[in-house]
Amino acid sequence: MRAIVIGSGVGGLSAAIRLAAMGLEVLVLEKLDGPGGRARVHRAEGFTFDMGPTVITVPAFLEDLFATRPGDPRLYPDFPQEEGLRHTERYVKLVPLDPFYRIHFPDGTHFDYNDDREHLLAEIRRLAPEDLEGYLRFERDAKAIFQRGFLELGFTHFGSLGDLLRVAPDLLRLDAVRPLFSFVKKYFQNPKMRRVFSFESLLIGGNPLSVPAIYTMIHFVERNWGVHFAMGGTGALVAGLVRKLRELGGEIRYQAPVRRILTQKGRAVGVVLESGERLDADLVVSNADYVHTYGELLSPEDRRWHGDWRLKRTRLSMSLFVAYFGFRARGDEGERLRHHNVLLSERYEGLLQDIFQKKVLPEDFAHYLHLPTLTDPSLAPPGHHAAYTLVPVPHNGSGLDWRELGPRYLEKALGYLDEAGYLPGLMDRLVYAHFITPDYFQWTLNSHLGNAFGPEPVLWQTASFRPHNRSEDVKGLYLVGQSYQPGAGLPSVMMSAKMTARLIAHDLGLERLPRALEEARA
Ligand SMILES: Cc1cc2nc3c(=O)[nH]c(=O)nc-3n(C[C@H](O)[C@H](O)[C@H](O)COP(=O)(O)OP(=O)(O)OC[C@H]3O[C@@H](n4cnc5c(N)ncnc54)[C@H](O)[C@@H]3O)c2cc1C
């Protein structure tokens, strides 16, 4: 039984590992010359830059993946029971970070965010004592959302509207469908606290003003499992996943862009590459962007459900401008900055509206500044730092011409870090710079209009309303990764892979349920 996986993003690799452990012959076809998708690595002049994800949460999901064995794809339970990272350590070293983030405000103050409750309370007391009581209420309510939305329902494949209707009363009772920022405002008066406890949905492409409050769960996901960094960079983690796949007998072919998914009588039977080569398969898993997969890889007669009208109606997440830069160290970088920094500007709601609704390029910025060489100096030549700064920008529906804008935006973004005193003298110390814009997401990663995180996780594109992991249009076609359920971010795409592998196991009659579930079914 042969499975083809289109795309080697973390979701694609995770699915491939589970399928290989199930005993399938697995071939991953990747358009680019290396693995990882958004988690690719850019190397130049002695610097190693992770191009995408850097915040590793829920390492237990990695442990679950690295612990798979031939005949044991570990499809159940949702959350593995064992402690520690014994299997992960054979592939990659994860280190916990503290703080998780330093959130910088434009008035020069900052909030250090971590999983230590007493520390969080002390930070709130220091910056916004009036919100201490509000935090305690927020903590109670966000925890209840985390319990139901993540621990109990996180691995539910919402295959029909009925699946959603069954849990809707709970979500309403928890007020988890109200917009996140509006939810946070119920508990916090201070504008700084409102930002600290709402910005995180941006990390998965969600506008805090419009995503449902179910995303407050991120606060507890991080408090429960911490924030980690993969030594050597996220690229080392991706290399570990590739090694795991190969050990299980799976194969990857790079520079193998898929042009079409082939079907016969409504069933996926293989793919055709851009080169014209035809590869047969018993099932196909697409890890590529939703609109690309349905709109370009399937012919129109194969898609009744995901027709052009539905694809056009899809609201896409924002895009990103990311500058990767290397500079001479002064030695004092760790005084003001931490490994992960969120640099907020004066405006918050206005800035978000510019990016998500008006789709204009704002004059001011919010940055996420990554300075991994504070944790792992091996990512830069001696005496240097490697960093990236990420700025949310509208996707290419904006009509902005990034070929013209890009170089100027690079100057502006790095100049800001220098002038605002985050990295004083940066422009004189800069030795290397490279950038990506929405065009990279659109033309290199095949993401429609250059979206960075798939469909925007608004309420009507969440759960049953988010593209499903099993295609309604084509039998034997499955979909894994950030465009599909449950959503974007490394933990979610690993969940997506496990949920998809379960569907495949079920459809092939290979499902070995844990005894408790078998008894419940009987
Ligand atoms: C800059 C940035 C920072 C981020 N930071 C974090 C973070 O700190 N923590 C976190 O958890 N998440 C973060 N995310 C989100 C996270 O990186 C993504 O949600 C996740 O990596 C997406 O994985 P995926 O499996 O959906 O596949 P993708 O990474 O989207 O990969 C899809 C793959 O499919 C390939 N492909 C597409 N079309 C074809 C075709 N026709 N034929 C063959 N191959 C094809 C592409 O080349 C690509 O390799 C970040 C994202 C970005 C962009």
Side-chain angles (χ1 to χ4, degrees):
M1 172 88 40
R2 188 185 213 204
I4 283 181
V5 178
I6 304 169
S8 67
V10 171
L13 290 174
S14 307
I17 288 171
R18 301 236 186 234
L19 297 185
M22 272 159 60
L24 273 64
E25 187 192 325
V26 178
L27 173 62
V28 179
L29 298 169
E30 169 55 55
K31 171 190 173 187
L32 303 174
D33 60 4
R38 277 153 174 84
R40 269 156 62 82
V41 178
H42 176 73
R43 285 193 182 85
E45 299 181 21
F47 295 98
T48 301
F49 301 101
D50 281 321
M51 295 191 76
T54 56
V55 176
I56 312 277
T57 45
V58 206
F61 287 171
L62 285 169
E63 177 66 5
D64 191 34
L65 207 50
F66 283 123
T68 53
R69 283 177 300 154
D72 181 11
R74 293 176 66 115
L75 301 184
Y76 295 93
D78 292 350
F79 293 91
Q81 306 301 311
E82 62 269 48
E83 300 272 311
L85 295 172
R86 189 165 57 91
H87 297 94
T88 308
E89 275 156 13
R90 287 197 289 127
Y91 298 89
V92 61
K93 181 169 186 242
L94 299 182
V95 293
L97 295 184
D98 187 8
F100 297 167
Y101 312 97
R102 173 166 283 185
I103 301 157
H104 301 259
F105 302 103
D107 64 2
T109 57
H110 66 256
F111 186 102
D112 278 344
Y113 187 94
N114 70 5
D115 55 356
D116 175 350
R117 185 167 187 268
E118 288 313 312
H119 168 84
L120 282 180
L121 293 174
E123 287 292 87
I124 298 170
R125 197 174 296 116
R126 183 170 66 79
L127 287 177
E130 69 277 21
D131 278 338
L132 260 181
E133 186 273 333
Y135 176 73
L136 299 179
R137 286 188 292 115
F138 171 80
E139 186 188 40
R140 181 198 61 205
D141 294 352
K143 193 170 185 180
I145 291 178
F146 165 71
Q147 174 68 33
R148 187 75 182 121
F150 194 74
L151 295 181
E152 291 167 23
L153 294 174
F155 282 88
T156 308
H157 183 245
F158 290 91
S160 71
L161 193 56
D163 294 335
L164 180 61
L165 290 177
R166 266 190 288 285
V167 302
D170 284 354
L171 300 179
L172 286 168
R173 181 177 50 77
L174 294 166
D175 204 15
V177 295
R178 167 202 286 260
L180 174 62
F181 192 61
S182 152
F183 181 88
V184 166
K185 279 193 336 198
K186 288 196 304 180
Y187 304 91
F188 299 100
Q189 305 306 315
N190 187 299
K192 288 180 181 171
M193 294 305 106
R194 289 177 171 181
R195 293 167 191 201
V196 165
F197 291 101
S198 67
F199 83 91
E200 284 183 305
S201 67
L202 285 166
L203 303 179
I204 50 154
N207 176 358
L209 304 182
S210 45
V211 298
I214 191 135
Y215 287 101
T216 51
M217 68 168 83
I218 301 175
H219 180 57
F220 271 94
V221 168
E222 291 178 347
R223 263 184 64 173
N224 234 30
W225 286 283
V227 163
H228 293 72
F229 183 67
M231 295 304 277
T234 309
L237 167 59
V238 170
L241 294 175
V242 170
R243 201 180 110 207
K244 178 78 200 177
L245 175 63
R246 293 211 165 112
E247 283 169 6
L248 290 165
E251 275 181 61
I252 306 191
R253 268 177 70 178
Y254 300 115
Q255 295 177 311
V258 171
R259 189 203 303 156
R260 266 280 189 257
I261 296 170
L262 295 172
T263 61
Q264 223 170 53
K265 297 188 186 144
R267 190 174 181 94
V269 292
V271 300
V272 175
L273 302 185
E274 288 292 352
S275 63
E277 185 183 355
R278 181 191 159 122
L279 296 161
D280 295 330
D282 300 289
L283 61 95
V284 175
V285 179
S286 177
N287 176 220
D289 180 72
Y290 165 62
V291 178
H292 175 66
T293 298
Y294 277 105
E296 292 173 45
L297 299 185
L298 280 176
S299 57
E301 52 273 20
D302 278 330
R303 35 188 190 96
R304 270 183 300 149
W305 186 255
H306 296 275
D308 289 347
W309 175 81
R310 190 178 284 272
L311 300 185
K312 275 204 191 90
R313 228 182 102 245
T314 303
R315 197 157 107 186
L316 298 168
S317 60
M318 82 293 197
S319 194
L320 301 170
F321 175 91
V322 194
Y324 308 92
F325 57 103
F327 59 99
R328 282 192 299 279
R330 232 170 53 165
D332 60 356
E333 286 77 14
E335 285 173 21
R336 181 155 184 204
L337 298 172
R338 291 293 177 265
H339 183 131
H340 295 299
N341 303 275
V342 177
L343 317 182
L344 293 171
S345 76
E346 290 289 349
R347 297 189 312 143
Y348 189 64
E349 291 103 303
L351 191 62
L352 293 170
Q353 275 156 358
D354 281 355
I355 297 164
F356 283 89
Q357 277 135 29
K358 297 186 193 155
K359 300 206 171 29
V360 294
L361 195 58
E363 278 301 309
D364 50 348
F365 305 100
H367 286 245
Y368 154 61
L369 172 61
H370 182 225
L371 193 49
T373 30
L374 290 181
T375 305
D376 184 354
S378 77
L379 300 172
H384 290 74
H385 281 292
Y388 85 48
T389 195
L390 168 164
V391 183
V393 296
H395 64 56
N396 273 344
S398 65
L400 293 167
D401 178 356
W402 281 102
R403 275 171 309 180
E404 192 252 325
L405 273 173
R408 279 196 282 130
Y409 210 67
L410 174 72
E411 288 266 316
K412 201 172 153 184
L414 297 187
Y416 171 79
L417 299 179
D418 184 334
E419 284 150 29
Y422 291 110
L423 288 169
L426 171 65
M427 297 318 260
D428 297 329
R429 297 192 274 144
L430 199 62
V431 298
Y432 178 78
H434 172 75
F435 63 89
I436 59 168
T437 71
D439 291 346
Y440 169 83
F441 291 96
Q442 178 158 3
W443 304 115
T444 304
L445 291 175
N446 287 352
S447 290
H448 189 57
L449 294 180
N451 76 74
F453 299 94
E456 194 187 337
V458 285
L459 187 60
W460 50 273
Q461 297 190 150
T462 297
S464 307
F465 304 125
R466 197 165 183 86
H468 298 177
N469 304 116
R470 181 200 275 128
S471 171
E472 301 86 339
D473 284 315
V474 177
K475 281 205 175 62
L477 173 62
Y478 301 86
L479 305 124
V480 69
Q482 63 170 20
S483 280
Y484 312 98
Q485 290 182 35
L490 296 182
S492 294
V493 302
M494 286 188 273
M495 293 165 87
S496 176
K498 191 164 177 175
M499 287 156 59
T500 303
R502 283 178 185 175
L503 293 172
I504 294 173
H506 178 268
D507 293 351
L508 297 181
L510 298 174
E511 192 177 34
R512 280 214 329 247
L513 291 173
R515 186 188 301 236
L517 279 177
E518 268 174 7
E519 280 168 8
R521 277 204 166 176

